[in-house]
């Protein structure tokens, strides 16, 4: 039986979030520059998006550029922005073919003008697609996202629209970039690093984490299946006991 056949389609994560890490080390290991790694990471993005859509995953969030990534060498930053621009332009056809809707989270307005424009256009073109949402985290910071929500709620309190006592989790969630999107059940990080790097701090509260040593350009469908199978073998307890989860106790 292949890995894919072992997956229980009734217990799929609805939303998978991935920290695509290790492009630079992948390139370095072959004596190439870091941008070569980023360029080759695009194949893994395509494989993963198609693999998720085929299985029936409804949301796939990919961490593509953090607010901290602006601190990289200028040539890498401009190279990444160019790659993003080109990739969105080219891949829009594949998204249409696969009935995938493109979304973005992060401070999109602060991206270079042409990148932001291309992204907006691709979002509009794919807005009617229904099979899966592909959400790119771009110029994204989990802390900034939470701050944004807090500020908007504070403003509503100040204007007398709501009382402090009305503030609840639902309200916080509705002001996040991810409003309307369910929290990820599974978070994957490649390249052996085991940290969250300011990704979806609020939304990952109860996600299962899966770490693989593979560098992002080497990530493929089989790796995706491995991650999902590992997730399916976890017991998600949400604070309860095993006995309660198994229905042996109340
Ligand atoms: C992830 O790969 C891609 C981005 C952060 C844009 P890295 O570029 O972080 O690769 P490593 O971690 O240096 O190997
Ligand atoms: C996190 O990867 C950001 C993205 C994958 C876009 P980094 O490689 O930038 O993370 P740190 O800085 O090593 O934690
Ligand atoms: Mg990295």
């Amino acid at each position: 039986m292949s890995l894919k056949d072992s997956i229980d389609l009734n217990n799929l994560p609805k939303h998978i979030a991935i920290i695509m890490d290790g492009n630079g080390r992948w390139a370095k290991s072959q004596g190439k520059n870091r941008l070569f790694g980023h360029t080759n990471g695009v194949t893994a993005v395509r494989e993963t998006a198609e693999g998720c859509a085929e299985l029936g995953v409804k949301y796939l969030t990919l961490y593509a550029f953090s607010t901290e990534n602006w601190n990289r060498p200028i040539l890498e930053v401009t190279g990444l922005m160019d790659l993003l621009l080109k990739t969105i332009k080219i891949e829009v056809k594949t998204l249409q073919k696969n009935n995938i809707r493109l979304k973005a989270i992060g401070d999109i307005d602060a991206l270079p003008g042409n990148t932001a424009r291309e992204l907006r256009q691709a979002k509009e073109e794919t807005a009617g697609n229904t099979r899966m949402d592909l959400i790119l985290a771009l110029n994204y910071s989990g802390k900034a996202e939470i701050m944004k929500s807090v500020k908007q709620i504070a403003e509503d309190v100040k204007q007398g629209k709501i009382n402090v006592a009305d503030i609840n989790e639902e309200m916080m969630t509705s002001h996040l970039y991810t409003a309307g999107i369910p929290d990820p059940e599974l978070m994957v990080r490649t390249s052996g690093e085991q940290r969250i790097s300011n990704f979806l701090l609020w939304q990952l509260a109860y996600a299962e984490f899966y770490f693989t040593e593979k560098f992002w350009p080497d990530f493929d469908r089989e790796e995706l299946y491995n991650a999902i199978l590992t997730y399916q073998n976890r017991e998600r307890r949400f604070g309860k006991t095993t006995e309660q989860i198994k229905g042996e106790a109340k």
Side-chain angles (χ1 to χ4, degrees):
M1 203 153 78
S2 74
L3 274 183
K4 190 181 183 186
D5 294 330
S6 311
I7 293 175
D8 174 3
L9 295 177
N10 295 313
N11 183 25
L12 273 184
K14 255 205 197 72
H15 184 173
I16 300 178
I18 305 185
I19 301 179
M20 311 183 287
D21 200 9
N23 294 351
R25 279 163 285 165
W26 183 88
K28 196 174 176 190
S29 73
Q30 351 197 340
K32 299 277 178 30
N33 69 24
R34 299 179 55 83
L35 276 173
F36 182 74
H38 297 314
T39 307
N40 279 275
V42 177
T43 318
V45 169
R46 204 179 300 123
E47 273 273 301
T48 307
E50 291 188 350
C52 282
E54 273 168 25
L55 284 173
V57 172
K58 298 309 280 181
Y59 304 88
L60 171 65
T61 299
L62 300 177
Y63 202 4
F65 195 86
S66 72
T67 53
E68 289 77 19
N69 288 146
W70 294 112
N71 296 321
R72 292 192 177 192
I74 182 75
L75 277 179
E76 180 170 352
V77 171
T78 50
L80 271 168
M81 290 300 147
D82 283 349
L83 178 66
L84 193 64
L85 183 77
K86 270 194 228 134
T87 308
I88 297 171
K89 231 183 203 145
I90 295 170
E91 296 297 323
V92 110
K93 280 189 221 79
T94 321
L95 294 174
Q96 294 293 45
K97 189 185 82 195
N98 288 312
N99 193 14
I100 296 172
R101 172 166 50 202
L102 187 70
K103 287 185 176 166
I105 56 172
D107 189 359
I108 304 304
D109 294 338
L111 289 173
N114 50 356
T115 308
R117 250 192 315 279
E118 198 62 45
L119 189 62
R120 204 168 305 125
Q121 202 174 319
K123 273 164 51 182
E124 281 167 17
E125 279 180 45
T126 61
N129 294 344
T130 53
R131 188 149 74 130
M132 184 181 83
D133 282 1
L134 173 62
I135 304 151
L136 296 182
L138 286 170
N139 195 16
Y140 177 87
S141 151
K143 282 191 178 179
E145 182 183 36
I146 293 171
M147 296 269 293
K148 177 178 90 73
S149 188
V150 167
K151 283 180 185 171
Q152 287 172 355
I153 292 171
E155 195 58 44
D156 285 349
V157 172
K158 191 175 151 203
Q159 291 179 15
K161 289 186 194 160
I162 52 164
N163 296 314
V164 170
D166 298 332
I167 301 171
N168 55 22
E169 285 189 16
E170 209 185 334
M171 195 181 291
M172 273 293 291
T173 304
S174 72
H175 288 286
L176 298 175
Y177 296 124
T178 51
I181 298 169
D183 288 347
E185 295 94 335
L186 170 63
M187 195 285 281
V188 174
R189 184 168 189 153
T190 58
S191 87
E193 307 299 349
Q194 303 195 358
R195 57 177 171 268
I196 199 165
S197 301
N198 209 359
F199 188 42
L200 300 175
L201 297 180
W202 175 279
Q203 298 87 338
L204 292 177
Y206 249 110
E208 295 295 327
F209 286 10
Y210 175 84
F211 299 106
T212 166
E213 294 293 319
K214 289 258 171 160
F215 293 138
W216 178 249
D218 289 331
F219 196 85
D220 56 16
R221 276 175 162 79
E222 294 299 299
E223 289 295 319
L224 171 72
Y225 301 153
N226 268 323
I228 294 174
L229 284 166
T230 304
Y231 164 82
Q232 294 189 332
N233 280 311
R234 301 263 178 93
E235 183 180 64
R236 306 191 74 206
R237 288 193 285 275
F238 300 100
K240 294 184 179 174
T241 66
T242 296
E243 291 70 25
Q244 285 177 300
I245 298 299
K246 295 210 155 87
E248 293 162 6
K250 291 225 173 89

